[in-house]
Amino acid sequence: MTHETQTLAKVMALMAIALSSSAFASGNHAGGHGHGHGDEDTAIGKPGVAARVSRTITIEMNDSMRYMPADVQVKQGETIRFVVKNVGKVKHELSLGTQQELMEHLEQMKKFPDMEHDEPSKVTLAPGKQGEIVWQFTKAGPVNFACLMPGHYEAGMKGVVRVGKR
């Protein structure tokens, strides 16, 4: 093999790895966490229906790597509209999930920090922007949330939704 052929083979191999990794990441990211699109019930509940929202909770994200509030109480079966506001100067996100799901997602975000989210349990916001998540909490127990932008979770940007039994 000539040097050019070896270089081309290496580039093609790297491209194949990159494409398969991003396909895995987006496939795992969008559907593999167990709380993708649709009406299916998961470990943390399911996407809510806006017409069934029982209350709205505003959560602010800031550059001190904190959510305000970081501890939220809801009742099992309740559908909540989270109005999420990025009051900081850097991009932040709020991702709902089990601790295991969040840790898996964190590893993916380290590899693909510009990953776009299209899941109903996540919102990524540029500085000064706001978004929302409408979520029905079908099971009692804790549901974690975190900012999984590289370095943010490690700096303490996490919280919990405490879902009380009906």
Side-chain angles (χ1 to χ4, degrees):
M1 254 191 209
T2 68
H3 178 69
E4 291 83 12
T5 307
Q6 287 178 332
T7 301
L8 182 60
K10 288 177 185 175
V11 168
M12 296 301 286
L14 287 172
M15 285 177 56
I17 291 168
L19 288 172
S20 67
S21 295
S22 65
F24 171 77
S26 69
N28 187 33
H29 187 243
H33 291 310
H35 50 89
H37 302 284
D39 208 22
E40 67 273 7
D41 199 4
T42 69
I44 65 165
K46 63 183 180 179
V49 176
R52 295 191 186 139
V53 167
S54 53
R55 63 189 167 116
T56 298
I57 297 172
T58 299
I59 298 180
E60 291 187 350
M61 305 182 290
N62 61 52
D63 295 344
S64 63
M65 303 302 155
R66 297 292 181 264
Y67 292 104
M68 304 224 337
D71 195 315
V72 177
Q73 306 274 338
V74 304
K75 294 182 189 124
Q76 183 180 3
E78 206 172 2
T79 299
I80 302 294
R81 173 180 283 111
F82 292 101
V83 174
V84 185
K85 297 181 179 183
N86 183 351
V87 299
K89 293 184 177 8
V90 299
K91 185 162 70 169
H92 293 293
E93 72 173 19
L94 188 147
S95 293
L96 292 168
T98 65
Q99 190 63 30
Q100 180 181 344
E101 289 168 343
L102 292 176
M103 292 302 92
E104 289 171 3
H105 184 110
L106 179 64
E107 291 306 311
Q108 290 299 315
M109 289 293 287
K110 286 177 183 175
K111 294 175 188 169
F112 306 100
D114 295 323
M115 184 184 296
E116 293 295 322
H117 299 101
D118 64 352
E119 296 156 88
S121 62
K122 296 177 179 15
V123 64
T124 303
L125 298 169
K129 299 295 182 187
Q130 88 174 29
E132 67 178 45
I133 295 173
V134 176
W135 198 259
Q136 183 179 10
F137 294 91
T138 58
K139 296 177 176 67
V143 173
N144 298 293
F145 61 91
C147 181
L148 302 174
M149 303 302 294
H152 294 205
Y153 178 85
E154 295 84 348
M157 199 164 184
K158 50 191 156 187
V160 66
V161 178
R162 298 180 196 283
V163 185
K165 291 192 185 256
R166 299 180 218 219

